Structures are given as structure tokens and as C-alpha cells.
Amino acid sequence: MPSLTLPAVAISESLKVSKGSIPSATAQGAEKRDIIIFSDFDGTIFMQDTGHILFDHHGCGAARREQLDEEIKTGARSFRAVSEDMWASLNVPFEDGFTIMKQKLEIDPDFDEFHKYCIANDIPFNVISAGLKPILRKVLDVFLGETQSAHIDIVANDAQISHDGSEWKPIWRHDNELGHDKAASLQEFKAIASSESEDGSVPLIVFVGDGVSDLPAAREADVLFARRGLRLEEYCIENKISYLPFDTFADIQTELARLVQQDQEMTHGSGKPAQYNPRANFWRRASSKKTVPTLSSVRASATPAPGNTFLPVEQNYAPQPTLVS
């Protein structure tokens, strides 16, 4: 688990710093520690769930969705089985469905500034989600602009979506009850990439999340940020996992700068980070300059019926090859 030097409650007090006082990611005159950030999407970058908005307005409806959600919570049915029912209930063209998402979605008020901070400091930011990749990419393109969105890589399920909106079919990354097992995705990274950056130092791995699908990642980062008051934070408290609570990404930006400054003072940016967690090594392997992995997304095996064409899906996931150097 992350070996932070301050308890979560004490650290949260340090987050009450004005945006204007947020320092740069590294101190002048010191080697820069490589930093890689992985983040959930629904409930983390955006306050609402993209799928829930679609189901409530163009599918099974809020009441039925809540019944189906309860089946997942009680273990009566798997996440994948229930999700397939929800997506199958949709009957709306993609662009029309996105119209309601644009109206209802609320991005974290400080995410745009935080992501620009990441770009300015050459910090790769990656999304790992149980959602559908075409939807997530479209949302980021619209809310951030295509140029900024292009700096974010996405690992999620693909989808077949008919142009008339009569069929929405997830193309699952994994053939199991989860559909997209985030832990399995991380193991895929581990198998194909090296664990160290080019200069021999060890990157600092940061994970940001909020809910149930993020639980497998809770023990696997050097620094874990959990949205305050939601399931991931509850899980960390229940299992005594070190974490940092956050209300907005401004909190993360402030705390990240503090942690980097602490690391610079203790390690001068070389070797292992001050917050080193050996269980995060497969994240480091995923982000190495030496071996930059390209993961092929799961592709549709079925041929569309005559006259029924589908929206294209992103065919490859290529993690950003550039680390802080």
C-alpha cells in the first residue's frame, strides 16, 4: 500500500491552499521524478455516470436501472450481464444520446486546469474505465476540446452502435463477469513493458478513483486519491489502505506538488520515490520509455447484418511514450 508519511486526515488539511499558491511539479535545480497518473472516469473526472444518464433518458429508465444496479450489489447477477441489459435497452442514435449527456454531465470544476498542469509538466494522464470508449472519447473531445483530449489515452470497452441507435452492444475487453477487469488490464501491461525509466529512477505512480470498479487498483499505486465520501474511500478505511481524500482535482494538484517536493528533498529525484509501493511496479512497466506497449482493443467478432452499419471504434490503445525527464 502507499507508504505516505502523513495520515489522510492530517494531509487533507494541507489541501486548503489557494490555486494561486500551487507550486510547479518539481523544484528548480533538481532531477525530475517521472510521474504517471491513471484515473477512473465516471464519478471521478465527471460527477455523473455517462451510462446512467443514457439509460435514464433513452433506455430502461431510472427506476429499472436502480433495480438492475441492486442485482449487482447483491450478487444476484454479474456486472457484465446486468450491463448488457442496460445497454441493450437503449434506442437512440449516438449523437442524439450525446445531446442529453452534454446537458446533464458536470465535469470536475478543476479538472481542466489540473490536466493542463499535467501537460505543462509532461505528466502522462491515462483513463482506465469500465465504460464504453467511443462515449468517453466523445465526452472528452467536447468538454476539453480535441487537442487537449488527444493527450489522454483511454483503456475501456469498445462498442458496436448502429447508426439508427437501435443496437448498443459493448465489446468487452475481457471474457469474464466484469467485462473489463481493471486488474487484468494492468497485468497485460506488466507482461509487455519494463519497470524503470531510462535514467534508472523509479516513476511515481498515482491512481485517482471513486467507486467499486476502482477497488482492484486501491492497493496498487504509490499514491492513491479517493473522492471523498464515496465507496473507494469507504473501502480504504475498512481495509486500512493509505489514501488521500479529494473534493476536486485542485486538491490533487496541490497535494501532488507537495509530495513531489517531499520526494525531491528526500531522494533528489533518483532511485525509488519517497512514497514507493512495490505493488505499483506493473504500472511502472506500463509506462516505461524503454518498452512502450501498444494494446490491441477487443474487436467485434460478429459481422454487422446487411444494411446495419456501426460506428467505428478505436482499434488500439497506445500509452503515452513521453515521461517527465
Side-chain angles (χ1 to χ4, degrees):
M1 71 181 67
S3 55
L4 301 177
T5 57
L6 296 175
V9 174
I11 288 176
S12 66
E13 293 300 314
S14 72
L15 302 182
K16 300 175 181 178
V17 180
S18 65
K19 294 181 186 178
S21 65
I22 295 175
S24 174
T26 55
Q28 292 184 349
E31 294 298 322
K32 297 173 72 174
R33 168 77 59 190
D34 292 353
I35 305 168
I36 304 98
I37 299 176
F38 297 86
S39 177
D40 178 49
F41 192 89
D42 295 311
T44 301
I45 298 174
F46 285 82
M47 310 308 292
Q48 299 81 18
D49 186 291
T50 49
H52 289 181
I53 291 174
L54 285 172
F55 307 144
D56 293 355
H57 292 85
H58 295 294
C60 58
R64 177 56 179 158
R65 174 182 60 77
E66 290 174 0
Q67 292 175 353
L68 291 170
D69 278 337
E70 191 63 25
E71 293 182 3
I72 298 175
K73 294 176 183 177
T74 61
R77 298 174 66 204
S78 71
F79 175 86
R80 174 172 173 168
V82 170
S83 295
E84 287 179 344
D85 282 355
M86 291 182 180
W87 290 113
S89 74
L90 292 177
N91 187 7
V92 59
F94 182 86
E95 290 299 329
D96 292 348
F98 182 74
T99 297
I100 191 64
M101 285 192 286
K102 187 176 180 180
Q103 294 173 0
K104 298 294 184 180
L105 279 175
E106 176 187 1
I107 193 169
D108 181 287
D110 295 303
F111 179 77
D112 180 69
E113 181 178 343
F114 174 78
H115 186 240
K116 289 177 180 176
Y117 165 89
C118 291
I119 294 173
N121 287 279
D122 296 323
I123 301 173
F125 186 96
N126 309 275
V127 165
I128 295 186
S129 171
L132 302 187
K133 190 184 300 182
I135 295 175
L136 307 188
R137 178 58 70 193
K138 176 71 172 181
V139 169
L140 289 174
D141 285 349
V142 170
F143 278 81
L144 298 180
E146 293 183 8
T147 299
Q148 186 173 340
S149 171
H151 287 272
I152 300 176
D153 285 313
I154 300 174
V155 184
N157 302 300
D158 279 317
Q160 288 182 329
I161 306 171
S162 62
H163 284 291
D164 65 2
S166 61
E167 181 178 359
W168 291 63
K169 180 181 177 182
I171 306 300
W172 302 107
R173 283 188 56 81
H174 300 114
D175 186 17
N176 58 28
E177 292 186 346
L178 293 174
H180 180 193
D181 183 340
K182 291 183 180 181
S185 284
L186 303 181
Q187 292 301 324
E188 291 170 18
F189 285 118
K190 181 178 181 180
I192 60 177
S194 173
S195 64
E196 293 185 345
S197 58
E198 286 184 329
D199 63 0
S201 65
V202 178
L204 180 73
I205 303 301
V206 177
F207 186 85
V208 186
D210 75 297
V212 173
S213 68
D214 303 316
L215 302 186
R219 299 178 185 272
E220 312 300 339
D222 296 314
V223 178
L224 172 66
F225 288 95
R227 188 172 284 283
R228 195 187 306 275
L230 298 181
R231 181 64 187 117
L232 180 57
E233 182 180 43
E234 293 174 354
Y235 178 81
C236 290
I237 294 172
E238 292 166 1
N239 292 276
K240 296 180 173 57
I241 298 173
S242 297
Y243 75 103
L244 298 173
F246 75 98
D247 294 307
T248 77
F249 273 80
D251 299 340
I252 298 175
Q253 185 172 334
T254 302
E255 189 61 22
L256 181 61
R258 188 194 70 81
L259 291 170
V260 170
Q261 182 177 354
Q262 179 189 69
D263 179 68
Q264 291 293 330
E265 293 173 353
M266 296 178 65
T267 71
H268 305 290
S270 63
K272 297 176 181 178
Q275 296 81 23
Y276 177 73
N277 172 17
R279 294 187 61 154
N281 277 340
F282 59 79
W283 297 85
R284 278 180 268 272
R285 294 186 181 105
S287 307
S288 171
K289 284 182 180 177
K290 292 181 179 178
T291 310
V292 179
T294 299
L295 299 182
S296 297
S297 300
V298 178
R299 300 184 182 184
S301 58
T303 301
N308 192 23
T309 56
F310 294 92
L311 290 178
V313 297
E314 297 185 46
Q315 297 297 332
N316 296 294
Y317 165 67
Q320 294 172 308
T322 304
L323 302 181
V324 181
S325 59

